[in-house]
Each structure stands twice: as C-alpha cells, then as structure tokens.
C-alpha cells in the first residue's frame, strides 16, 4: 500500500542523537555531504566542545578536522535539546548505547530516553532511523510504540521508521563509511525507501535494502555472532593442535588459503561492546536447543583467559609471588575501551594465583584504570625498574611494537594473548613464548 507520509519538513536537516565514538563521526560525515546537522547529546560538556569546533574524541583519524570544518561552515551544531532538534529535522538518526551489564542484563534507559525525546518533537513526514544494535523486533515493537505515544502520530502512516545497523570499526570509521554496504530495513516499504534515499545522499558506499527492520537487526547480530563462534572454533582447534606437534599459525594460514576458509585467530578472550555481547541478544529468547553452538562458543571464549594463565602457571612452576606485567588494558589494540576487556579476568586470575600484577596501557591515565585493582605503571621505564617474571599481552597497541623485550630483566615467559607478537624477539630476550595453541613444550626453555 502506498504510504500517505509526505515530508513537510526539510529533509536537509538531520538530527543525530548520541554524539559518541560513532555518532560524532556520522554527524561530521552527513555535514560533509551538505546536510545541516544538529547533534544531540545528554552531556553538556560534549555539546559545548562540539559547538566550539572541538571533537571530544581524539582517536578517530580525520574526526577533529571534520568537526572543526563543519562547525566553522555552520553545517554542524550541537544541543542537549533532542526534542527541539527533532522538531527541525527531516531525518533523525539515533545512535546511543544499549548498555549491557556484566551479567548480560540489558539496560534500555538510554535508548528509551532518546526515543521518547525524539517522539516529543516528531513531526509528520520525518524519518527516524535507529542505528544502535538491538535485539530482533525492538525497532517495531518497542521504539515504534514509544514514538507513537509521545508524538500522537502513527508509524508508517505519519512518519517513517527504519533500522540500519552500524558496523563501523572505531579508529577507521571514515574509511569504513566508504567501504561497507549500508544495510537498511524499514517497518514498511515506504520507510525502507525513505531510509535508502537518505543514506544514498550522505554515503558513498552501496546502500542495501533488506525486507524489514527485523532482518536488518538480525543481520548485525548474525555477523557479530559469526565472529564470536569463529574465534571459539579457532580456540578449540588451537587447543587440540597444541598437544599434537602442530604449528597452529602455519596450519590456519594454510587452511585459509582455501577461499571458503576464514578461521580467525585464537586469543585469550573476546572483549568490547559488540562481539561478546550481541550473541546474548540472540540467546536471551532462544528456546531449548536453539543456538547451542552460539552458547558453546561464548562459554569457550570466556574460558580462554583461564586456559592461557594455566599454561603460564605450568611453565613458571606456579604464579605465587611472581611479578607479572599485563601489556594493554583495552579489549583490543589501538582503541581506548575497557568494555568487557579480557584484562579484567586476567588480572583477577593472576591475583587469585598469588601473583603481583602490573598493568601498562599508554592509552589510559592512571585513574582510568583504578577499577582493575592492579598496580598501574605509566611507562616501560617504571615497569622495568624491578625484574618482571612474565608478561601477558592483552592488547598489542601500536606503541608496543618497538618494545625491546631485553629491557625486562628476569623475564621468563611472554603469554601472547592476541597472537600478535614475534616469537623470535621473545626467544632472543631469553624468554619462552606461549599463546593459545602454542604449547609450552614448543617454546624455548626459560632461563
Ligand atoms: N563503538 C563501536 O565500535 C561501535 C561499532 C558498531 C556499532 N556501535 C553501536 O553504536 C552505539 C553507540 O556506540 P558509541 O561507541 O558511539 O557509544 P559512546 O558511549 O561512545 O557514545 C554514546 C553517546 O550517546 C550519548 N547518550 C546517551 N544517552 C543519550 C540520550 N538519551 N540522548 C542523547 N545522547 C545520549 C552519550 O552521552 C554518549 O556521548 C553502540 O551501542 C552500538 O550499538 C558501536
């Protein structure tokens, strides 16, 4: 059926709700394509900073320049008044986090508050697109009714509603915006079309319509769950290989030379807001027996920190009173983010085993790592002021790449939690190299 929605507000004005690591680059991107962008955030300091032309996120290449240019050109401004921005906008893009607690329970407060604020300002003809990753069905069943209740309008009949997953990789967002197809699904055909038209006008990448919001929501959960299960498979294969004289890195490289094989890297654990979390968006309503592989994959990956530290424990003949340095607190390299980082179980398990734990991460200030309850060291000089028995590589930041391992006096072993370190450099420093699937017996004997 043909929708009766007809925009009576300028589609050239876009409100971006949530000016974080993803929302701010999106706002700058839309502004660079000739849109008038009103960025909305609940944090007054974020809004003030942007209105002064200063990006509050510094790790994204090109972002500071893009924000400064857009603010100077008058195409980007920011406000804490989401409702006021929605009143002026032809398109509203919502990209605020859905918080997932360590026990995996979901906290919808941000997304609900943002949706209600948009609803209060919603006008006939506006397109609302949610980009925050959501459990299947949320856009239609939760956000739609909220927007309707607050606005008194009817989704589909009076305004468009769509979901489009954000799949960017923080740190290279502008590059990914050009490369990754933009997946779009609306609550009806007209909503899908409105969202496709909008994204075609602001992105260079291909825009790809799917049947509905549920399909678009599920696509994001499927792609992240695939990666989690794949890593779990890599971990299980690596552990199997460990006791069988297999060089697992060579084996995976060889296997992946077959175009259909994409085995990921074994690791100490999977962190971040996405990969360890989104499988739970599926598992929460999976009925008996459904998605057992997903559940097993999650459990496997969650066990890896313990498995790796057991290897280290065996190699050192116990961790009691050992000085162990953890390199990198972030969940992965070159990003300042602690969410679900494996650093937490690593520090906890080391403490439990009686080790003295030091953590070094140049991306964080000392006070930002307080939650770790470990001795935070600011630099390699401090870390090497006393002998270190072992190093656990949790996040292999760019800053570590030229590390001279020989500076660590007394170093006996390096547990490479990311499969990123050159084993030869470790052995040259007289220490043993171990990793998931690289068994102690294959490493050089510790001096
Ligand atoms: N960070 C990533 O790598 C990544 C990758 C792909 C997808 N995503 C998706 O993007 C979402 C946002 O991620 P992020 O990294 O930008 O988060 P972030 O924490 O960096 O930023 C979120 C921003 O939203 C603001 N906010 C919270 N509630 C609000 C409200 N009610 N109204 C207005 N603003 C509000 C916060 O103040 C913050 O500035 C994630 O939840 C996820 O669904 C993130």
């Amino acid at each position: 059926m043909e929708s009766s929605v007809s925009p009576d507000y300028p589609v050239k004005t876009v409100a971006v709700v949530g000016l974080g690591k993803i929302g701010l680059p999106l706002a700058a991107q839309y502004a660079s394509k000739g849109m008038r962008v009103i960025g909305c955030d609940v944090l007054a300091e974020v809004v003030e900073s942007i209105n002064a032309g200063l990006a509050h996120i510094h790790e994204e290449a090109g972002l500071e320049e893009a924000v400064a240019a857009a603010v100077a050109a008058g195409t980007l401004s920011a406000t804490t008044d989401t409702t006021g921005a929605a009143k002026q906008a032809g398109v509203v893009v919502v990209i605020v986090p859905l918080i997932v607690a360590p026990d995996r329970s979901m906290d919808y407060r941000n997304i609900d508050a943002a949706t209600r604020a948009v609803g209060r300002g919603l006008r006939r003809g506006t397109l609302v697109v949610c980009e925050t990753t959501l459990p299947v069905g949320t856009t239609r069943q939760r956000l739609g009714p909220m927007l309707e209740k607050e606005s008194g309008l009817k989704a589909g009949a009076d305004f468009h509603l769509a979901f489009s997953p954000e799949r960017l990789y923080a740190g290279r967002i502008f590059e990914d915006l050009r490369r990754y197809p933009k997946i779009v699904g609306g609550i009806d055909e007209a909503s899908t079309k409105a969202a496709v038209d909008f994204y075609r006008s602001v992105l260079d990448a291909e825009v790809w319509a799917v049947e509905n919001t549920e399909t678009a929501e599920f696509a994001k959960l499927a792609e992240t769950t695939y990666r989690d299960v794949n890593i779990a498979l890599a971990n299980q294969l690596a552990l199997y290989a460990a006791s069988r004289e297999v060089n697992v890195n060579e084996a995976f490289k060889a296997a992946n030379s077959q175009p259909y094989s994409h085995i990921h890297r074994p690791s100490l654990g999977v962190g971040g807001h996405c990969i360890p979390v989104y499988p739970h968006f599926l598992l929460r309503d999976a009925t008996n027996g459904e998605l057992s592989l997903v559940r097993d994959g999650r459990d496997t990956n969650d066990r890896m920190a313990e498995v790796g530290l057991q290897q280290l424990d065996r190699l050192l003949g116990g961790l009691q009173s050992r000085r162990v340095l953890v390199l990198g607190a972030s969940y992965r390299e070159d990003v300042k983010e602690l969410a679900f980082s494996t650093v937490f179980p690593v520090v906890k398990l080391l403490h439990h085993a009686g080790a003295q734990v030091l953590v070094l991460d140049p991306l964080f200030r000392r006070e930002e790592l307080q939650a770790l309850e470990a001795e935070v060291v600011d630099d390699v000089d401090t870390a090497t002021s006393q002998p270190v028995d072992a190093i656990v590589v949790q996040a292999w930041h760019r800053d570590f790449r030229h590390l001279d391992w020989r500076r660590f006096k007394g170093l006996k072993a390096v547990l490479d939690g990311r499969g990123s370190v050159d084993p030869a450099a470790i052995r040259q420093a007289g220490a043993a190299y171990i990793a998931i699937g690289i068994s102690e017996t294959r490493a050089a004997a510790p001096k």
Side-chain angles (χ1 to χ4, degrees):
M1 204 182 80
E2 196 57 24
S3 164
S4 62
V5 176
S6 63
D8 52 4
Y9 280 83
V11 283
K12 290 272 180 205
T13 298
V14 183
V16 176
V17 185
L19 296 171
K21 290 182 288 298
I22 305 291
L24 185 57
L26 290 183
Q29 166 75 19
Y30 304 158
S32 78
K33 292 289 184 180
M35 298 286 156
R36 175 180 164 243
V37 181
I38 310 172
C40 312
D41 206 287
V42 284
L43 298 177
E45 62 270 28
V46 165
V47 165
E48 279 163 27
S49 164
I50 293 165
N51 283 332
L54 301 170
H56 61 292
I57 288 155
H58 310 290
E59 292 83 29
E60 196 63 45
L63 181 61
E64 285 166 299
E65 299 81 343
V67 168
V71 172
T75 49
L76 173 62
S77 62
T79 179
T80 52
D81 180 11
T82 299
T83 299
K87 277 183 190 162
Q88 300 174 52
V91 180
V92 180
V93 173
V94 179
I95 180 77
V96 301
L98 174 57
I99 305 284
V100 180
D103 69 357
R104 312 293 195 247
S105 62
M106 281 184 233
D107 178 347
Y108 286 88
R109 274 176 293 183
N110 288 327
I111 189 94
D112 286 355
T115 304
R116 289 199 179 100
V118 170
R120 287 193 288 277
L122 196 61
R123 311 294 290 258
R124 274 185 63 83
T126 299
L127 162 68
V128 181
V129 191
C130 183
E131 295 205 8
T132 302
T133 308
L134 298 173
V136 177
T138 307
T139 306
R140 191 189 300 274
Q141 290 164 25
R142 187 182 185 106
L143 308 188
M146 264 180 205
L147 291 168
E148 289 179 338
K149 183 161 183 263
E150 298 295 333
S151 65
L153 300 173
K154 187 95 190 93
D158 300 321
F159 65 93
H160 297 301
L161 178 60
F163 180 82
S164 178
E166 200 41 86
R167 309 153 78 201
L168 307 165
Y169 195 75
R172 51 154 216 245
I173 287 182
F174 291 109
E175 192 186 325
D176 289 352
L177 275 171
R178 288 189 290 274
R179 288 191 312 163
Y180 290 3
K182 188 71 177 140
I183 308 296
V184 175
I187 54 160
D188 54 19
E189 264 180 48
S191 293
T192 304
K193 184 179 178 315
V196 167
D197 290 347
F198 165 64
Y199 285 115
R200 287 211 173 119
S201 69
V202 291
L203 299 177
D204 299 316
E206 184 184 355
V207 179
W208 191 333
V210 294
E211 190 167 317
N212 48 30
T213 47
E214 290 77 7
T215 307
E217 291 163 339
F218 185 70
K220 169 77 185 187
L221 302 181
E223 93 189 19
T224 43
T225 300
Y226 159 78
R227 289 163 66 197
D228 196 41
V229 174
N230 189 320
I231 295 165
L233 175 65
N235 282 329
Q236 289 197 5
L237 287 173
L239 292 177
Y240 172 92
S243 57
R244 289 170 171 83
E245 287 302 308
V246 172
N247 180 322
V248 75
N249 290 334
E250 278 185 8
F252 285 176
K253 197 171 167 197
N256 287 348
S257 67
Q258 210 287 344
Y260 292 109
S261 178
H262 306 281
I263 306 168
H264 287 12
R265 248 186 302 180
S267 74
L268 266 194
V270 181
H273 283 294
C274 302
I275 302 180
V277 172
Y278 297 151
H280 291 285
F281 283 25
L282 296 172
L283 290 170
R284 64 192 258 290
D285 63 354
T287 50
N288 264 352
E290 270 184 328
L291 303 176
S292 58
L293 202 55
V294 175
R295 200 177 297 278
D296 188 35
R298 240 350 12 259
D299 292 345
T300 296
N301 290 338
D302 276 349
R303 270 200 313 274
M304 283 304 120
E306 194 171 355
V307 168
L309 291 176
Q310 280 167 355
Q311 279 179 242
L312 187 64
D313 183 288
R314 282 197 295 276
L315 183 76
L316 296 179
L319 288 164
Q320 182 68 39
S321 305
R322 298 287 191 183
R323 232 169 110 84
V324 181
L325 172 67
V326 180
L327 283 184
S330 297
Y331 79 91
R332 71 158 162 88
E333 75 286 355
D334 300 328
V335 67
K336 187 182 170 185
E337 179 59 73
L338 289 174
F340 296 97
S341 172
T342 309
V343 77
F344 293 103
V346 164
V347 168
K348 196 169 158 200
L349 288 162
L350 283 169
H351 272 312
H352 205 249
Q356 185 192 345
V357 192
L358 297 92
V359 176
L360 169 60
D361 192 316
L363 299 187
F364 291 88
R365 292 193 310 276
R366 181 178 282 262
E367 58 273 22
E368 291 172 322
L369 295 178
Q370 257 167 7
L372 284 176
E373 292 176 14
E375 186 183 330
V376 177
V377 289
D378 294 328
D379 48 38
V380 175
D381 287 342
T382 320
T384 52
S385 62
Q386 288 181 51
V388 167
D389 294 297
I391 292 177
V392 178
V393 175
Q394 152 57 27
W396 189 235
H397 294 314
R398 214 171 278 127
D399 292 21
F400 294 140
R401 290 196 197 142
H402 300 292
L403 200 60
D404 182 356
W405 301 96
R406 289 169 301 191
R407 293 181 64 192
F408 296 97
K409 303 295 171 229
L411 183 65
K412 296 171 188 64
V414 174
L415 168 59
D416 180 4
R418 302 290 136 196
S420 306
V421 179
D422 175 13
I426 306 296
R427 291 185 186 123
Q428 273 164 18
Y433 173 90
I434 57 173
I436 300 293
I438 313 276
S439 74
E440 306 89 305
T441 53
R442 292 184 63 83
K447 298 242 157 97

